[in-house]
Amino acid sequence: ASTMARGGWGWGARVLSALGAAGELASGASGLDVWRRLGEWSEHMSEPPPGNVPVASAEARARRAELLGGCAEDRPQQADSASAVSAAFAPRDEHGKPNMVIAEAGTGVGKTIGYIAAASLWAERNEGPVWISTYTRNLQRQIDTELDRLYPDPVTKRRKVVIRKGRENYLCLLNFEDAVGRLGSRAEDATALGLIARWAARTRDGDLLGGDFPSWLVDLLGARNTVGLAARRGECINSACTHYQKCFVERTVRRARRADIVVANHALVMTHAAVGGLDD
């Protein structure tokens, strides 16, 4: 707050007064070094291959009804969709030849709940993740919201559901540290960087584009000190980075290996399929 006040933050004096603070930090300190307060991600042993327990049509229908609750309107087409999708999770007859289901349903049927019902059952029984591939960030956000029905507890949902995107969607801690280091010559950036630091300490996954970062802040603070701090394509130095053990991207990659549901975009899924794996 002191750093932001020195940078011209309009609320600075009032916030410092409410905090009962003298308003000055030790020489050279900014309070924005959030990377020091973030926990490190953990490396786990490789997960065993998932099981092959199928999902019966009736079970997918029952899970769908459970997700909607007793007060939901009757949607027979949605139940039919959940039933049809369950066939994709049947055990394979031959190695390398997965079961395929091509299904189409009109707008308003409730397709998302239909396939979440079957996918969540399979993931629970077989202890392996199901990847849901989408076309847009908005669809990822919509599916993420629907998954609140399955995991109403935020702590459980954080463990069970992971949103995967390309690196350029996430806050890069190295870029942020560089921006903080330039405050000596750009004191006016303190307000934006202070708010980014507060968000980074509490964000679900560090997603600046379509995640829990308020998009309207970009208009107020400018792109350079908000979405401009993302991990730009081709610039990442991976394990050579001093923040590698706390990197939001690397943390998300590892969480996805142990999740039940992974919601990703088509580009990421197809790129991984082309290179033969689901890691970056």
Side-chain angles (χ1 to χ4, degrees):
S2 178
T3 298
M4 293 167 70
R6 289 197 297 269
W9 187 35
W11 288 94
R14 292 177 175 82
V15 169
L16 289 169
S17 176
L19 293 173
E24 291 298 328
L25 292 169
S27 177
S30 70
L32 304 186
D33 51 352
V34 67
W35 54 87
R36 302 186 191 277
R37 302 190 293 277
L38 295 175
E40 296 185 352
W41 47 259
S42 300
E43 195 72 87
H44 298 275
M45 293 178 61
S46 299
E47 296 297 311
N52 287 299
V53 181
V55 175
S57 171
E59 293 171 326
R61 289 176 180 269
R63 170 55 66 92
R64 169 253 175 202
E66 176 188 335
L67 291 175
L68 293 175
C71 298
E73 65 175 292
D74 185 32
R75 294 186 182 181
Q77 290 176 307
Q78 186 184 57
D80 291 343
S81 175
S83 175
V85 168
S86 64
F89 296 98
R92 301 181 182 188
D93 293 327
E94 296 181 48
H95 178 72
K97 293 186 178 180
N99 297 302
M100 306 286 287
V101 172
I102 299 177
E104 183 179 5
T107 302
V109 168
K111 298 182 287 291
T112 305
I113 289 296
Y115 58 69
I116 284 176
S120 61
L121 276 173
W122 188 91
E124 291 171 10
R125 292 176 175 177
N126 294 284
E127 298 184 347
V130 174
W131 281 56
I132 299 175
S133 181
T134 69
Y135 180 57
T136 66
R137 294 190 184 100
N138 285 338
L139 280 173
Q140 282 185 294
R141 192 180 304 116
Q142 176 188 328
I143 295 169
D144 188 32
T145 300
E146 292 282 12
L147 285 165
D148 288 342
R149 298 175 184 267
L150 184 61
Y151 305 111
D153 176 36
V155 176
T156 302
K157 183 181 178 184
R158 178 176 173 80
R159 188 175 70 253
K160 298 286 190 177
V161 178
V162 173
I163 308 299
R164 284 294 318 268
K165 299 180 180 180
R167 289 178 175 269
E168 63 275 11
N169 290 272
Y170 299 92
L171 173 67
C172 172
L173 293 173
L174 186 58
N175 286 345
F176 181 69
E177 183 182 8
D178 287 344
V180 170
R182 292 192 293 268
L183 277 178
S185 58
R186 291 180 177 174
E188 67 277 7
D189 289 350
T191 299
L193 297 179
L195 293 175
I196 290 288
R198 291 283 291 175
W199 168 78
R202 292 159 178 79
T203 177
R204 173 182 171 187
D205 53 15
D207 182 1
L208 284 163
L209 301 169
D212 52 20
F213 183 74
S215 58
W216 48 266
L217 274 179
V218 179
D219 294 329
L220 290 179
L221 306 175
R224 178 165 56 84
N225 288 315
T226 52
V227 293
L229 298 173
R232 289 180 286 272
R233 189 171 304 179
E235 290 187 350
C236 183
I237 55 177
N238 298 294
S239 58
C241 178
T242 55
H243 303 301
Y244 182 70
Q245 292 294 135
K246 299 182 178 183
C247 174
F248 288 117
V249 177
E250 297 297 334
R251 186 190 306 275
T252 302
V253 168
R254 284 155 182 79
R255 285 179 53 226
R257 296 174 187 163
R258 302 167 64 84
D260 280 7
I261 306 290
V262 180
V263 185
N265 56 63
H266 293 335
L268 182 68
V269 171
M270 296 303 289
T271 298
H272 285 182
V275 300
L278 293 177
D279 290 341
D280 286 354

